[in-house]
Structure formats: structure tokens, C-alpha cells
Amino acid sequence: NIPIDRCSEAGIVVFNTPGANANAVKELAIAAMLLASRNIIGGSDWVREQAAAGADVAAAVEKGKSAFVGPEIIGKTLGVVGLGAIGVLVANAAVALGMEVVGYDPYLSVETALRLDRHVRIVKDESILWKTSDYITLHLPYMPQTKDTVNAEVLEQMKDGVRVLNLARGELVNDEAMLSALESGKVACYVTDFPNSRIVTDPRVVAIPHLGASSPESERNCAVMAAQELVDYLENGNIRISVNLPAAVMERGGAARVCVIHRNVPSVLASITTVLSQQGLNIENLTNKSAKEYAYTMVDVDGTVSPDTASALQNLENVIRVRVLP
């Protein structure tokens, strides 16, 4: 809903709040595994049908409960695809529940790896995860290269009777391939937080109405995190989590801070420092970060930055926006 390119060209930082809803999604993922195993929803609906038909519910339950038997998750293998803020929590929780956990993430960061339980087995070949998991849960972003991550070819590699959870993005799973796998028995159950009119036609699909982040705690966490990011940017110039500009954080020092959003091309940084030097300002601290075609520079100086100095910086080639913070 936000025109990222236009914001970048105008020097507007666009923030997001990754991880603020991670616990809510983690808890839903655990619930999804249990729903996929024990057919709780189908059993509950069946009990209500017995009551509506006027049957002796207590007697009917004892006779009919065998139709809803399902496996326990303890001792089973969970494959976690994507080990970001949510995937790490899901993997660790599954270990605590007695599951074997296999994780795959080609972009796994050192920081994230350190948060993983030591019992989580990381694989570099995703086919190992597809072939060995009893349950597979997706926690990766949607982009052109991740569209249809779960397709007919991938489904063919999975164990017969695998249970697949998708609480990340609907487009990560090819619906037609999944429906064929459900029909053949390759997939025993598919739990998705992104239902559509096509996928819900199969009774082995558990369709959740996009409840991943729908908790009061999650909504509060997102609001607080967004406010903190904005305050830090407005008061200190720090960019902690942005979708269009690089992260850049620097402790305050000096009498003033100059914040410059510019294009990521050679010589811009040299031009900025030259202007400040010509104005008799000594640089006490500096950071420069880049992300694709844009870059961000913060400079702490020992004196007052005049309006003329700010204008000179703004008029530099490839400079998009200049802010001076006292």
C-alpha cells in the first residue's frame, strides 16, 4: 500500500516492525500442528452435527471418535523453512515439545543462528528437509523467487502423509499442486492462514482467517515498536529497521548531527565532508551505510550547522534530503 520507490526518491524513510508479532505467529504455528494432527476441528463439527440431529451425544461420541484419531507430534520431525524472527521461535518451541527439528534458510544470519536451540539441525540442501520431515512449516517472505516454493516437484519429494503449515504467505504454496497432493494422500493435511475459494474446497484443508498477528499483545508490540523507531529517527537520525533505506545507528556526539539521504554513487561522501570542512566544522563521528541504489550518512560535528551549510549540502549532486539535528 506504500509507494516505496516514490518515498525513496523523496527522502522519506519507510519503517516496518518485523518480529513484533513473532510470538503470536509462533503460538498459532503450534496450534496448527495440533490441528493438522488430531482433526480437532472435524471432530468438533461432527459432535455439533450429532446434537443438531437429536442423537445421544455422549453415546455417539464413544462410537464415532475413532474416525478422528490422529498422531502425536512428540518424536516427529518438523521442517522449518525460513529461520527469521518467527521461524526461530517455532523451531525452539518444537524442540521443547519433543520434536526433531530440521531448519533451512539460505540467508541465516549469525545473530539468528545464536538464538537457535542447539538441537535444531540446519541443512544447506532444502531437499533434505522436504524428504525427512513429518511436518513442514513455512516462515519465509513472499517475493518473485519464493512464489510457489511448495509446488508439484517439491511435494513429490515429501514423505507420504506429510502435514504442511503455511502461516507466512498464501503465494508460497501452489494451490493446484497442493490440492492434487491432498487428493492422492501425499499430504494428509494442509493448514493455511491465507484461505481462498479454491483451496477450501478440500475437507483436508484447515483454513484459518489470517489470524497470525491477531492478538492484542501483537498489536501493542507493533505499535510500540513503530513509535520507538520513529522517535529515534526524528530525534537522533537513527534508522534501525527500514524497507527502503539501510540500517544506520550511531551514538550521539558533538554539538550537532547532520543526516543525509543520498544515492549510492562514488564521491558523495567526500563531497559531504568537504562542505563541512569548508565551513570550519570538525567531524567527531561518522557512519555511512548503503543498500542498493540508496545510502545514508550521519555526521556528528563540533559546532553549529548554519542554514547556508545545510543548503550547500542539499545542493550537492545525488543528495536527496538533508536534516540537521541539534
Side-chain angles (χ1 to χ4, degrees):
N1 297 324
I2 298 173
I4 302 297
D5 292 341
R6 290 173 57 192
C7 288
S8 301
E9 286 295 325
I12 298 171
V13 187
V14 181
F15 295 95
N16 64 344
T17 57
N21 62 2
N23 187 71
V25 180
K26 175 206 76 176
E27 292 186 1
L28 190 64
I30 299 303
M33 276 195 290
L34 298 173
L35 291 174
S37 290
R38 304 298 293 274
N39 198 3
I40 298 167
I41 292 177
S44 178
D45 289 343
W46 178 80
V47 170
R48 292 180 184 277
E49 290 170 3
Q50 302 310 301
D56 181 339
V57 172
V61 163
E62 292 307 313
K63 290 181 179 180
K65 65 182 181 181
S66 60
F68 304 98
V69 169
E72 300 177 16
I73 63 174
I74 190 170
K76 304 303 192 302
T77 298
L78 172 67
V80 182
V81 185
L83 293 167
I86 297 168
V88 167
L89 293 181
V90 173
N92 291 348
V95 169
L97 289 169
M99 302 185 79
E100 301 292 328
V101 181
V102 178
Y104 171 76
D105 191 330
Y107 306 106
L108 180 65
S109 68
V110 173
E111 179 186 358
T112 301
L114 291 172
R115 289 163 42 213
L116 275 171
D117 187 287
R118 64 185 179 86
H119 295 97
V120 177
R121 176 190 174 201
I122 304 299
V123 295
K124 294 183 179 180
D125 182 356
E126 61 183 314
S127 67
I128 296 174
L129 184 149
W130 304 133
K131 294 174 182 177
T132 59
S133 299
D134 302 298
Y135 299 79
I136 294 173
T137 182
L138 306 177
H139 299 288
L140 62 163
Y142 170 67
M143 54 189 73
Q145 56 266 43
T146 61
K147 179 179 171 62
D148 292 342
T149 291
V150 175
N151 51 42
E153 181 181 349
V154 166
L155 286 162
E156 186 59 33
Q157 297 179 55
M158 296 180 187
K159 286 184 175 182
D160 291 342
V162 68
R163 290 167 165 83
V164 180
L165 321 175
N166 180 12
L167 307 182
R169 289 292 184 272
E171 296 87 351
L172 298 175
V173 176
N174 182 284
D175 287 344
E176 295 305 320
M178 177 57 70
L179 287 168
S180 295
L182 288 163
E183 181 65 28
S184 70
K186 167 63 76 170
V187 176
C189 183
Y190 174 48
V191 184
T192 177
D193 204 22
F194 303 90
N196 58 56
S197 299
R198 182 73 180 99
I199 199 68
V200 298
T201 58
D202 194 293
R204 287 151 293 205
V205 171
V206 176
I208 304 172
H210 203 178
L211 297 181
S214 296
S215 73
E217 294 86 355
S218 175
E219 292 175 3
R220 180 183 182 280
N221 290 342
C222 288
V224 170
M225 187 174 179
Q228 290 173 339
E229 289 175 357
L230 289 171
V231 168
D232 198 16
Y233 176 67
L234 294 173
E235 293 184 350
N236 302 307
N238 290 326
I239 299 177
R240 295 189 179 272
I241 305 172
S242 171
V243 298
N244 66 330
L245 289 173
V249 178
M250 185 171 72
E251 292 294 325
R252 290 296 295 262
R257 169 166 288 186
V258 179
C259 306
V260 185
I261 298 173
H262 55 92
R263 290 182 176 81
N264 184 24
V265 296
S267 78
V268 176
L269 181 58
S271 299
I272 293 170
T273 57
T274 297
V275 168
L276 294 173
S277 178
Q278 290 172 345
Q279 299 299 316
L281 295 168
N282 186 51
I283 295 174
E284 296 197 359
N285 205 1
L286 180 150
T287 187
N288 170 263
K289 302 293 182 180
S290 62
K292 297 182 179 179
E293 64 265 40
Y294 296 100
Y296 185 57
T297 299
M298 289 189 289
V299 186
D300 286 344
V301 296
D302 63 353
T304 301
V305 180
S306 68
D308 288 343
T309 301
S311 294
L313 291 168
Q314 184 66 66
N315 290 330
L316 290 172
E317 186 177 5
N318 293 309
V319 167
I320 297 171
R321 186 179 186 187
V322 175
R323 288 198 308 143
V324 178
L325 305 176

